[in-house]
Amino acid sequence: MAKERSLFKNESFYEVLFFLTALACMLAFVLIQPFGEGPDEINRFRIVWYISEHGILPKGDDPEVLIPGYGGSYAFQPMLPYMIQGYLLWFLHLFTERFDMLLVSARMVNVLFGLGCAYYARKLSKLFFPDTLSQWIFSCLVVFLPQSIFIHTYVNTDSCALFSVMMMFAAALTGCRKGFGRSQCIQLAVGIVLCMLSYYNAYGAILVSAVLFLTHFINKVPAGSITADGTASPKDRYYIEFRPLLRKGCFIALLVLIGAGWWFLRNAILYQGDFLGMQARNQCVALTCTPEFHPLLRPTYQNQGVGVLEMVFGTDFFTLLSRSFVAMFGPMIIPTHYYIYETYYRIFAAGLVAALIPVGHELYLNWQSTRHKWLINICMGIACIIPIVLCVYYSYSWDFQPQGRYLLPMLPAFMYLVTLGIKKILFLLQALSDKLHLRTFTPILPKLFGGLLLFFITAALLYSVFAVMVPHYL
């Protein structure tokens, strides 16, 4: 019994169990869901197959990658994950022509990104929160959200984008804590490159990471301190460390230019200066789509004169978006249990509201000053707002597709704020318990509520995968 107790007290045991649970759920999707069940997987896979067959990247208007009916293709947009998958399949063609094995191999690239997300979730949790319980709540909210698992199981660029966001935040926060050494600068640059070459919707995280990087070099000189020039200021004064800022900033910028610049240069050459490829894609859609999908004829809420708020709250937009953020499998047709949605909504709402309560500043980011804590909180809020705004704008002006996967770039920032709110709720419950002289219950309240929350998060994932998805396909 002594060995058994020591095993369950070992943090490494729970780390391994955490990764194995995520891997098992992702593999269930990878091996069971048919080809094309992931949102638009067939049209995304056209690019992977083209690369595996020809060994080169396709142009956006190449007939082999065009989307039938809709027109255009995904080849106008950043495609680093498709490149990795395509050249992997090109190599595997030397050994097998079985399509099912090639498809699973391509999907496994995203599974690796998913495991990378789990790794950075644990790393971020320890940067955000000092206590083990909050670390596990954050990690499980980020990784075990059913839609977060699903995004890593079919051919897409969203998986790489989410990984890059978490990598950037981990590098930026580690740099803020320990200083931006060479390792943090390289990790931040790699995260930016992966983000730039995967998904435009995630670019807001680059802005947030840049703000965290820049503000690290802004310091305060307290009133009365003697400065380097031998003078003293009668009041607090802020200054910027320009030399290390420029040196390290230029180093990161150079790595990003080398890693991602080639793609935008390629676009500019191929599409008459359109380095993002967006205008070229729209023109290609207009030329290659069927009449009902023509951009000028496609009905949108914008060209119908319907207001944004009316679209969001007067239609099924908000319901579909929020549900598919939690769990909506296949081509947006396989929901999980009603009570899983309702419980998650209440957890999110309670956490976000409580996060605004100005108490418990010592409960999180305890390696930062209060001023920097507020800055990081604001940055995390901005990291949530940008994907939401882009998602609403796209649905309003281009194509009404309220898919929760468009919001996943905000996942680490969003779950940080939710976890922060939960931590403040538990802090207030403990304070209330002390005030009511129920001190016996005070130390067990976090363990009780935290344990129930972790049980729900894990059970909701396992139910969604093995009691909903697996029976649906089998």
Side-chain angles (χ1 to χ4, degrees), residues 32-79:
I32 292 174
Q33 64 181 345
F35 176 53
E37 280 295 283
D40 222 8
E41 184 179 39
I42 293 175
N43 290 317
R44 301 173 190 276
F45 193 76
R46 293 177 191 276
I47 300 169
V48 176
W49 194 255
Y50 181 99
I51 295 171
S52 72
E53 290 286 303
H54 301 283
I56 60 173
L57 305 186
K59 287 183 60 179
D61 58 356
D62 192 291
E64 293 184 50
V65 298
L66 291 177
I67 302 173
Y70 187 86
S73 79
Y74 286 103
F76 287 101
Q77 298 157 232
M79 61 169 90

Side-chain angles (χ1 to χ4, degrees), residues 308 311-312 317 321 387-397:
V308 174
M311 179 197 75
V312 173
F317 178 89
L321 187 66
I388 294 173
V389 171
L390 291 175
C391 176
V392 172
Y393 175 76
Y394 178 81
S395 291
Y396 182 70
S397 63

Side-chain angles (χ1 to χ4, degrees), residues 23-39:
L23 179 61
C25 292
M26 287 189 284
L27 287 178
F29 277 103
V30 166
L31 299 174
I32 292 174
Q33 64 181 345
F35 176 53
E37 280 295 283

Side-chain angles (χ1 to χ4, degrees), residues 110-148:
N110 281 3
V111 170
L112 293 177
F113 281 128
L115 291 175
C117 286
Y119 167 78
Y120 277 111
R122 295 297 299 142
K123 192 167 184 178
L124 278 170
S125 72
K126 294 167 185 176
L127 288 166
F128 284 137
F129 304 106
D131 64 295
T132 302
L133 179 61
S134 298
Q135 292 169 7
W136 277 115
I137 290 174
F138 170 81
S139 301
C140 290
L141 280 172
V142 170
V143 177
F144 286 176
L145 185 74
Q147 197 70 18
S148 176

Side-chain angles (χ1 to χ4, degrees), residues 19 58 63 70 85 132 139 198 207 221 239 251 255 263 288 293 317 369 406 423 426:
F19 284 100
Y70 187 86
Q85 293 160 334
T132 302
S139 301
S198 60
L207 173 64
V221 177
Y239 69 97
F251 176 65
L255 294 180
W263 169 261
T288 58
F293 291 108
F317 178 89
S369 65
Y406 297 152
K423 192 170 176 62
L426 295 177

Side-chain angles (χ1 to χ4, degrees), residues 183-290:
S183 175
Q184 281 69 47
C185 290
I186 292 174
Q187 288 184 58
L188 183 56
V190 171
I192 294 172
V193 169
L194 291 175
C195 185
M196 294 181 74
L197 296 181
S198 60
Y199 196 32
Y200 288 141
N201 268 31
Y203 278 24
I206 298 176
L207 173 64
V208 169
S209 299
V211 171
L212 292 173
F213 172 79
L214 291 171
T215 54
H216 173 73
F217 298 95
I218 301 176
N219 294 298
K220 183 173 75 171
V221 177
S225 298
I226 303 298
T227 61
D229 59 5
T231 61
S233 174
K235 58 182 181 179
D236 290 348
R237 187 156 64 85
Y238 291 92
Y239 69 97
I240 301 174
E241 297 179 81
F242 280 108
R243 184 171 293 179
L245 170 62
L246 291 175
R247 186 176 70 251
K248 296 176 182 183
C250 289
F251 176 65
I252 293 171
L254 178 62
L255 294 180
V256 172
L257 183 63
I258 294 171
W262 66 269
W263 169 261
F264 300 99
L265 178 62
R266 175 182 181 270
N267 275 1
I269 294 171
L270 290 178
Y271 310 126
Q272 292 75 49
D274 182 13
F275 65 96
L276 291 178
M278 299 296 289
Q279 188 60 36
R281 180 178 183 271
N282 294 342
Q283 292 172 357
C284 182
V285 168
L287 292 172
T288 58
C289 69
T290 53

